[in-house]
């Protein structure tokens, strides 16, 4: 909340490039380069694959020299750039329900509006849709819808759900068999070349290296103060790994660079960068469950950063792969490792496993509390979160906050409502953390007063009832 | 005479459908000490497999409009459909205590996560997620699904079901095949002489079988069929429609009746996917392993629905075939509020129908909808327009 | 006397509570919320300060004994009403002045200043003439807020003129609409002494009693009432006009306030106009968990407002009517969008109003139970606050539902003054600040006009995200 006396100029979002870390510059360049490649794909004779973030087979695609496009990322970018409202309206005009996932509607609307990507360049149509059916039912419908639009081949990879927190041999074999017998042959046909297993292994090895550094970065939040924000800041760290660069030297170099930067911050006792510049004093350490809101991403971030709240761990940043529980891509078993990777993505894990993971984060990262951002569009994340809230409070003893918003529909981000909830939650945490201080004194004063006769004999227009 | 018989069977069906406290299940357990009762959510579940394990499959269709959801609402945000709320409400009230476990087929993420919630809330009951295959190659999806079904068998054995016996399994499959064939006869009667068997009546009869073994259900359906065929019945001047909604959450029966009273003969529908998903018998010659026969039947004969990947088939083709073969004149799309599968499918199906010039209308409902005025008007207008202008 | 201030900016009303340095409640004030939050806060605070003055008055008389003193004490309620009457008359004068400013400023050629000016004066004079009836002993006013009373009087007066000599009704009332905004969003300092003395002159009483009262007034108005700490709360579309360290979340204030009034409180349910909150507090009144209804405002006070409008009833009539129901009607949807349609359909089907109302109330309370369950259930003691707690049917249903789901030994606390709990909680937090050595003070507000509407398109001044014209602030 602002005051009339603090005339804060609210235009700090678009910072000078000189303020950015080298890793951010590097990432921006990588992304820009990727979109350039996409824009030239047809000219260059490159084939384009549309696929999903959970269960993305980037190393495989890279080994076949295929260019990936991730519609989820297009949608979130549209959200951040204020275009998603318009796109969603287009999709709803075309007959889609208000109730369904806004990523899908945003994508369809973007398609109907010329398919211009986040960098302003037109996105190439897909040569194949790789339906990596991992952790989200809506993906199935999304690519059925896109198939109507593009009339290109669709390759299904059914990644079984992990209800019991374990990957069985049957599950792994099913995925491996599909890769061997259907996915790879289909992709080879599109790519016009055979898959070189050595090339795949080479990329997997690079992935594993990058994953080492990524996990180090996640775990750096165990420091006090935390040098990173593992949610708002975290979405930037997952970029290269999740999207088109895992398994490349670029990605591996990026993570090495990032790690170095974070090491520097730790040495200097610095906190993470925020939309308003370097973070001030760390007051609250939080774990967050659920995707962020994209349309008001920076507003949302500020509700935390301006109160000294840092997110030390989050589950959303594990949707494209869970690496901090031991998994690394294993170049020696390429197909099995791809299967395990897909099976282990966060939204593919059963509710009990998710609760265990969150409990682990709260405890190991010494969080003061946790917050659930329940997103209207995403049933995969959202159904069961209310139960998770109660269960986690029981197990960890720290309070849980609960807010509701959406991915990219601006109509569902009630700023005042959300600010109210976040503020209340943080104040609640603060009161809890400082218990025994002034609050205790004040309370005992009240207890005495309640019994006093003076308190009983009030005047004409007063408050207070005899207890 | 046959009207009386018909009425009494239907009355029994209605009672069974309203049996929210599972009295029939309790009675069965009393008669079969040690027998397991296994619940399953709507849309397809392997009832024959469960029967083949000597257990009673119990279809759980939610609380409908009869259950006040108080505790259940505490577990779900407002943008989630109603069936999980009423199901949890029933469970927390103890109404589902007679069940030893619950199967959650891969309908959508809501039901998927409901299975996870079940695991956390009812630790001593089985909560089994059945990952329906989206790959239809018998050596890939088929193999995986067979293993999944065997895993379910082992879970039931671990809870006291007798060890897997192939002959018992085959017998259960034959019973299921006969029940399915009887339902097919009901379907045929609805198509040929909708005045003899209304959709709302068939609905109750089919749904009533949710808490009994296939053999018993077949007997009931057979009696109903005979009575329906021979009782006096007046023809209506109605429009022939197909109702589509990939129904998991069920509409109140009053909604079906409302559609009928608005001038529609519902000659086909996908209301009871759980009981009718296989569009033919389970082929026992397909494999030595009867469990694999079930898996292959799902692969080869599973009806098109929103939860089933379309693969290389053309979206909407199955619906158009259904409309043409049944001689329907139009389609009524009815989706449960917030139902991702049904709502995401709708635009694709509507586009397909539009290309073929098949008229349709669209409405939303919830299992506890109490207002039918708007639906009556809408359906009435639709049936009128189809009558007047046909496939315009 | 030193006092600590708490202010709660609600969606319908703004409340202020004053407590002393020991945390004892001194007085409270309330006003209707308006677009200028600063003025609303100041108005509520003025109301609370006035109430405090009256308690000083009472204390000033308290010392003495005797028949005359007793009579003086007995005259206080009448003096209070007379005070309110004088204040009302002053406000009517301000309104008249604002109308004339509007007329002078008005650029619409269609407005006939020479007709409307005198007409407005007539209406105001009339209203002033009728005003004493509103504040007579035993009189029932439809509202305590000037805006409501003035509107009713103005419309009645304008109608009378229109019938009498054809004075154009719409433009006249339009003038009121614009002028009242001006009156409501400007600060006018309140001269309590002048108001009290003028009020006293209206009170019929023996000279010796009058003398006692005059002395008491003299003492009461000179007694210092110094604000030494302040905290504010509320939930508004725009930012609260308070310094950041003075702001406390309304959830925390509500929980604390409820706990202060009923120290056994562990669960609070607040059903306001547009939101419903379930709050759990610990033994110190600190919130440990809470849940709010989400974007959908179904089942809140506003829903009842729509229903009341549909039926042509006053809000306060809904509860009593619903209590007369003889059978339960099952209403499944508490969606305000469909409230009207659902109601009309059922009426046309022959269902009785009271039965339908009972069903609607039940729907609301079921939603409230959901939110309570999500927040952690209902623990002993349970305190029900917010506007809807004055609805007897809602209370009855709630008691039943709680007994059913959580047992019949849950103590249910309901207090018609619960509307002040948020402000009380804020005041208690301000007292904490005072004792911790870092009190905040309520800023002095400049008289200002209305805030400009939010920008449409381009860079929004209020949130700096770039956006298209669909950009909304909620």
């Amino acid at each position: 909340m602002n005051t009339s006396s603090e005339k804060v100029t609210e235009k700090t979002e678009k910072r000078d490039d000189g303020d950015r870390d080298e890793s951010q510059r590097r990432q921006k360049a990588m992304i820009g380069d990727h979109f350039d490649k996409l824009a030239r794909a047809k000219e260059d004779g490159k084939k384009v694959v549309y696929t999903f973030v959970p269960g993305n087979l980037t190393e495989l695609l890279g080994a076949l020299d295929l260019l990936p496009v991730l519609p989820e990322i297009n949608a979130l970018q549209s959200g951040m750039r204020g275009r998603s409202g318009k796109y969603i309206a287009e999709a709803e005009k075309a007959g889609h329900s208000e109730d369904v996932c806004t990523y899908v509607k945003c994508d369809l609307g973007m398609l109907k509006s010329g398919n211009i990507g986040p960098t302003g360049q037109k996105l190439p149509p897909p040569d194949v849709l790789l339906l990596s059916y991992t952790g989200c039912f809506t993906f199935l419908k999304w690519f059925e819808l896109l198939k109507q639009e593009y009339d290109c081949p669709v390759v299904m990879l059914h990644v079984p759900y992990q209800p019991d927190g374990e990957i069985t041999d049957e599950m792994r074999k099913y995925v491996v068999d599909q890769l061997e017998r259907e996915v790879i042959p289909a992709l080879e046909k599109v790519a016009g070349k055979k898959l070189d297993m050595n090339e795949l292994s080479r990329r997997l090895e690079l992935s594993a290296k990058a994953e080492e550094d990524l996990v180090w970065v996640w775990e750096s939040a165990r420091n006090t103060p935390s040098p990173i924000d593992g949610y708002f800041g975290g979405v930037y760290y997952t970029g290269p790994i999740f999207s088109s660069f895992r398994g490349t030297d670029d990605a591996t170099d990026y993570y090495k660079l990032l790690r170095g930067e974070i090491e520097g911050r730790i040495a200097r006792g610095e906190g993470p960068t925020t939309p308003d510049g370097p973070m001030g004093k760390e007051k609250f350490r939080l774990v967050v469950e659920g995707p962020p809101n994209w349309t008001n991403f920076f507003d949302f971030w500020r509700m935390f950063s301006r109160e000294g709240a840092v997110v030390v761990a989050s589950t959303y940043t594990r949707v494209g792969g869970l690496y901090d529980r031991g998994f690394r891509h294993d170049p020696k078993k390429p197909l099995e490792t791809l299967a395990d990777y897909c099976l282990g993505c966060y939204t593919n894990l059963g509710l009990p496993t998710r609760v265990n993971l969150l409990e682990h984060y709260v405890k190991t990262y010494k969080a003061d509390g946790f917050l659930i951002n329940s997103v209207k569009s995403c049933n995969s994340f959202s159904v069961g979160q209310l139960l998770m809230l109660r269960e986690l409070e029981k197990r960890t003893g720290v309070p849980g906050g609960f807010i509701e918003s959406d991915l990219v529909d601006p109509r569902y981000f009630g700023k005042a409502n959300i600010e109210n909830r976040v503020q209340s939650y943080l104040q609640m945490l603060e009161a809890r953390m400082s218990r025994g201080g002034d609050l205790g004194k004040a309370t005992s004063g009240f207890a005495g007063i309640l019994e006093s006769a003076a308190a009983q004999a009030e005047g004409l227009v007063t408050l207070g009832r005899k207890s | 005479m046959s009207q009386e018989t018909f009425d009494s069977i239907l009355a029994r069906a209605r009672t069974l459908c309203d049996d929210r406290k599972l009295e029939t299940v309790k009675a069965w357990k009393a008669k079969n000490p040690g027998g397991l009762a296994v619940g399953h959510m709507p849309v397809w579940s392997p009832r024959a497999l469960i029967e083949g394990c000597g257990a009673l499959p119990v279809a759980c269709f939610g609380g409908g409009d009869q259950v006040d959801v108080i505790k259940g609402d505490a577990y779900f945000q407002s943008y989630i459909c109603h069936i999980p709320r009423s199901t949890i409400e029933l469970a927390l009230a103890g109404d589902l205590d007679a069940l030893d476990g619950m199967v959650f087929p891969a309908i959508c993420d809501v039901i998927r996560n409901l299975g996870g919630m079940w695991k956390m809330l009812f630790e001593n009951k089985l909560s089994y997620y059945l990952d329906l295959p989206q790959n239809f190659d018998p050596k890939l999806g088929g193999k995986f699904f067979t293993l999944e079904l065997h895993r379910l068998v082992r879970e039931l054995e671990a809870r006291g079901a007798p060890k897997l016996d192939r002959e018992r399994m085959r017998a259960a499959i034959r019973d299921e095949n006969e029940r399915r064939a009887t339902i097919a006869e009901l379907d045929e009667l609805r198509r040929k002489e909708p005045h003899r068997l209304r959709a709302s009546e068939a609905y109750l009869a089919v749904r009533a079988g949710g808490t009994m073994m296939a053999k018993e259900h077949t007997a009931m359906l057979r009696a109903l069929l005979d009575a329906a065929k021979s009782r006096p019945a007046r023809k209506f001047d109605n429009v022939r429609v197909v109702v589509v909604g990939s129904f998991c959450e069920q509409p109140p029966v009053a909604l079906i009746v409302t559609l009928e009273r608005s001038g529609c003969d519902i000659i086909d529908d996908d209301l009871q996917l759980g009981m009718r998903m296989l569009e033919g018998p389970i082929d026992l010659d397909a494999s030595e392993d009867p469990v694999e026969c079930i898996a292959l039947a799902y692969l080869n004969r599973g009806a098109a629905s929103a939860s089933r990947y379309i693969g290389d088939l053309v979206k909407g083709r199955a619906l158009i075939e259904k409309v043409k073969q049944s001689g329907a004149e139009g389609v009524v799309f009815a989706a449960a509020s917030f139902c991702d599968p049904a709502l995401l499918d709708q635009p694709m199906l509507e586009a397909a129908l539009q290309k073929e010039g098949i008229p349709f209308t669209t409405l939303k409902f919830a299992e506890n909808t109490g207002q039918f005025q708007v639906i009556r008007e809408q359906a009435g207008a639709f049936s009128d327009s189809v009558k007047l202008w046909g496939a315009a | 006397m030193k006092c600590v201030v708490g202010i709660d900016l609600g969606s319908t009303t703004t409340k202020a509570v004053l407590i002393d340095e020991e945390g004892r409640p001194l007085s409270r004030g309330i006003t209707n919320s308006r677009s200028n939050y600063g003025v609303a806060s100041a108005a509520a605070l003025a109301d609370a300060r006035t109430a405090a003055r009256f308690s000083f008055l009472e204390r000033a008389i308290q010392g003495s004994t005797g028949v005359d003193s007793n009579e003086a004490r007995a005259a206080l309620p009448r003096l209070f009403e007379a005070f309110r009457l004088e204040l009302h008359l002053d406000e009517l004068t301000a309104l008249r002045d604002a109308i004339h400013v509007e007329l002078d400023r008005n650029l619409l050629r269609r407005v006939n200043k020479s007709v409307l000016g005198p007409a407005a004066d007539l209406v105001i004079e009339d209203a002033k003439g009728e005003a004493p009836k509103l504040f007579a002993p035993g009189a029932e006013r439809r509202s305590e807020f000037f805006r409501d009373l003035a509107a009713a009087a103005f419309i009645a007066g304008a109608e009378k003129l229109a019938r009498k000599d054809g004075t154009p009704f719409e433009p006249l009332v339009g003038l009121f609409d614009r002028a009242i905004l001006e009156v409501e969003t400007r600060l006018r300092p309140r001269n309590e002494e002048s108001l009290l003395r003028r009020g006293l002159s209206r009170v019929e009483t023996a000279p010796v009693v009058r003398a006692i009262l005059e002395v008491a007034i003299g003492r009461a108005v000179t007694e210092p009432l110094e604000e030494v700490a302040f905290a504010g709360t509320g939930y508004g579309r725009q930012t609260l006009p308070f310094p950041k360290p003075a702001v406390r979340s309304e959830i925390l204030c509500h929980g604390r306030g409820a706990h202060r009034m009923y120290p056994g409180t562990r669960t609070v349910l607040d059903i306001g106009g547009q939101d419903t909150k379930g709050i759990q507090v610990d033994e110190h009144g600190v919130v440990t968990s809470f849940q709010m209804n989400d974007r959908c405002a179904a089942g809140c006070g506003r829903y009842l407002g729509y229903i009341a409008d549909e039926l042509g009833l006053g809000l306060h009539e809904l509860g009593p009517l619903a209590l007369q129901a003889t059978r339960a009607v099952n209403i499944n949807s508490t969606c305000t969008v469909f409230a009207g349609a659902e109601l009309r359909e059922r009426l046309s089907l022959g269902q009785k109003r009271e039965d339908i109302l009972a069903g609607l109330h039940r729907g609301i309370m079921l939603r409230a139970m959901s939110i309570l369950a999500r927040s952690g259930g209902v623990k002993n003691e349970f305190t029900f606050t917010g506007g809807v707690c004055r609805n007897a049917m809602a209370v009855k249903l709630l008691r039943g539902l709680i007994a059913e789901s959580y047992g019949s030994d849950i103590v249910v606390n309901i207090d018609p003054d619960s509307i002040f709990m948020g402000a009380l909680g804020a005041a208690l937090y301000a007292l904490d600040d005072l004792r911790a050595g870092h009190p905040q003070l309520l800023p002095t507000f400049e008289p200002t006009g209305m805030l400009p509407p939010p920008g449409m398109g381009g860079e929004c001044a209020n949130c700096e995200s770039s956006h298209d014209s669909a950009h909304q602030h909620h």
Side-chain angles (χ1 to χ4, degrees), chain B residues 92-238:
Chain B
L92 291 172
D95 290 353
L96 303 182
D97 282 354
L99 298 177
D100 298 289
M102 189 79 133
V103 172
F104 298 89
I107 300 171
C108 69
D109 290 336
V110 174
I111 301 303
R112 184 196 77 174
N113 286 13
L114 179 62
M117 293 170 70
W118 214 263
K119 247 194 244 285
M120 290 168 66
L121 288 168
F122 312 112
E123 281 172 337
N124 57 336
K125 304 269 176 153
L126 170 66
S127 165
Y128 189 89
Y129 180 69
L130 184 67
D131 216 329
L132 299 174
Q134 306 291 1
N135 174 298
F136 301 98
D137 180 333
K139 294 203 201 65
L140 282 176
K143 180 146 152 236
F144 170 70
F145 197 40
T146 305
L147 291 168
E148 270 283 279
L149 292 173
H150 272 289
R151 190 167 64 92
L152 175 56
V153 171
R154 286 199 299 278
E155 289 281 0
L156 295 178
E157 286 170 357
R159 278 157 205 275
K163 273 220 111 0
L164 175 61
D165 177 307
R166 284 187 169 182
E167 274 318 309
R168 183 172 49 231
M169 187 63 69
R170 289 195 185 102
I173 288 174
R174 280 187 215 103
D175 285 347
E176 173 62 34
N177 285 347
E178 212 196 319
R179 188 251 297 275
R180 185 65 187 89
T182 318
I183 293 182
E185 281 188 55
L186 256 106
D187 290 343
E188 203 188 341
L189 184 62
R190 282 172 59 190
R191 277 194 300 275
K192 294 223 174 88
E193 299 177 277
H195 56 290
R196 290 208 173 282
L197 185 61
R198 312 293 291 140
S200 48
E201 294 162 344
Y203 177 81
L204 288 168
V206 172
R207 178 169 162 167
T211 49
M212 58 178 88
M213 299 293 241
K215 224 187 194 110
E216 198 188 331
H217 194 207
T218 305
M220 177 185 174
L221 293 173
R222 170 73 39 215
L224 185 75
L225 254 172
D226 293 341
K229 282 185 185 152
S230 53
R231 68 174 178 147
R234 183 174 65 86
K235 276 199 195 180
F236 302 98
D237 178 23
N238 283 344

Side-chain angles (χ1 to χ4, degrees), chain B residues 50-69:
Chain B
I50 296 169
E51 281 196 31
C53 291
L56 174 69
V58 180
C60 295
F61 293 108
D65 57 357
Q66 298 298 309
V67 174
D68 255 344
V69 177

Side-chain angles (χ1 to χ4, degrees), chain A residues 357-371:
Chain A
L357 186 64
L358 280 159
E359 183 188 355
H360 167 77
Y361 286 155
V362 169
K363 291 184 174 162
T364 12
Y365 287 77
K366 299 210 181 6
D368 301 309
F370 66 93
L371 194 96

Side-chain angles (χ1 to χ4, degrees), chain B residues 65 68 70 73-74 76-79 85 368-373 376, chain C residues 294 296 330 332 342 345-346 362 366-367 369-370 373-374 401 404-405:
Chain B
D65 57 357
D68 255 344
I70 300 180
D73 257 351
F76 297 99
Q77 300 88 319
S78 67
Y79 41 80
R85 299 164 201 280
N368 63 340
T369 294
Q371 288 306 297
F372 302 110
Q373 177 73 352
R376 185 172 19 250
Chain C
D294 56 17
C296 169
N330 213 9
N332 296 311
E342 175 127 23
E345 171 164 357
R346 287 175 182 277
R362 188 173 158 77
L366 282 175
R367 256 196 87 84
M369 293 299 289
S370 263
R374 286 186 210 175
L401 286 167
E404 254 173 57
S405 304

Side-chain angles (χ1 to χ4, degrees), chain C residues 133-423:
Chain C
K133 291 203 195 92
L134 288 173
F135 294 90
E140 258 191 43
R141 291 188 288 276
R142 64 197 300 253
S143 167
E144 289 304 311
F145 303 138
F146 175 71
R147 178 192 244 279
D148 300 331
L149 297 172
F154 203 90
I155 287 172
E159 272 171 359
K160 205 165 102 183
L161 270 185
R163 280 196 304 271
K164 189 170 114 189
D165 58 18
T167 309
F169 179 79
E170 288 297 336
L172 192 51
V173 170
L175 264 182
F176 169 84
D177 287 339
R178 290 194 293 283
I180 190 72
L181 281 176
E182 176 62 25
V183 165
E184 286 224 299
T185 53
R186 287 214 164 249
L187 277 176
R188 273 175 309 283
R190 196 184 274 199
N191 186 333
E192 282 167 337
E193 179 171 5
S194 160
L195 288 163
L196 277 167
R197 295 203 185 281
R198 279 151 54 199
L200 183 57
S201 68
R202 288 181 179 266
V203 175
E204 301 250 332
T205 188
V208 60
V209 174
R210 184 176 305 279
I212 292 174
L213 285 170
E214 275 174 359
V215 168
I217 287 174
R219 281 170 50 195
V221 299
T222 49
E223 169 133 14
L225 183 58
E226 186 196 349
E227 295 158 21
V228 293
F230 156 78
T233 187
Y235 166 34
R237 287 159 183 263
Q238 299 147 35
T239 52
L240 296 181
F242 310 135
K244 189 161 177 236
V247 174
R248 288 297 190 292
S249 103
E250 48 140 16
I251 288 167
L252 264 72
C253 288
H254 237 92
R256 186 96 182 260
H259 182 268
R260 172 65 173 83
M261 278 176 93
Y262 297 98
T265 300
R266 294 295 177 266
T267 301
V268 182
L269 171 68
D270 173 45
I271 305 183
Q274 49 191 21
D275 59 36
T276 298
K277 301 187 264 285
I279 304 171
Q280 309 292 337
V281 296
D282 64 10
E283 65 272 24
H284 304 291
V286 177
V287 174
T288 56
S289 120
F290 65 90
Q291 274 286 342
M292 289 173 69
N293 63 294
D294 56 17
R295 186 176 178 251
C296 169
C300 297
R302 184 170 290 176
Y303 179 69
L304 286 171
Y306 286 137
I307 298 297
D309 285 345
E310 273 292 328
L311 291 170
L313 295 169
L315 249 181
H316 58 286
E317 297 177 79
L318 290 183
L321 188 53
L323 282 168
Q324 293 172 33
T326 48
R327 55 174 287 267
V329 160
N330 213 9
I331 311 281
N332 296 311
S333 150
T334 47
C335 182
T336 49
V337 175
F338 298 118
E342 175 127 23
L343 185 59
R344 272 173 267 136
E345 171 164 357
R346 287 175 182 277
L347 286 171
S348 73
L349 287 172
Q351 288 175 351
K352 290 199 282 185
R353 276 191 324 176
E354 45 271 31
D355 294 344
I356 302 172
L357 274 176
L360 292 169
H361 278 79
R362 188 173 158 77
I364 295 175
M365 300 326 284
L366 282 175
R367 256 196 87 84
M369 293 299 289
S370 263
I371 289 178
L372 280 169
R374 286 186 210 175
S375 75
V378 173
K379 303 193 183 62
N380 207 12
E381 295 173 12
F382 170 81
T383 301
F384 181 26
T385 85
V388 176
C389 85
R390 299 187 204 187
N391 179 315
M393 183 59 173
V395 170
K396 177 175 172 212
L397 287 169
L398 190 62
R399 284 189 193 275
L401 286 167
I402 287 177
E404 254 173 57
S405 304
Y406 297 98
S408 43
D409 47 337
I410 302 273
V411 173
V412 177
N413 301 314
I414 297 167
D415 197 301
D417 284 340
S418 66
I419 196 172
F420 293 99
M421 276 173 188

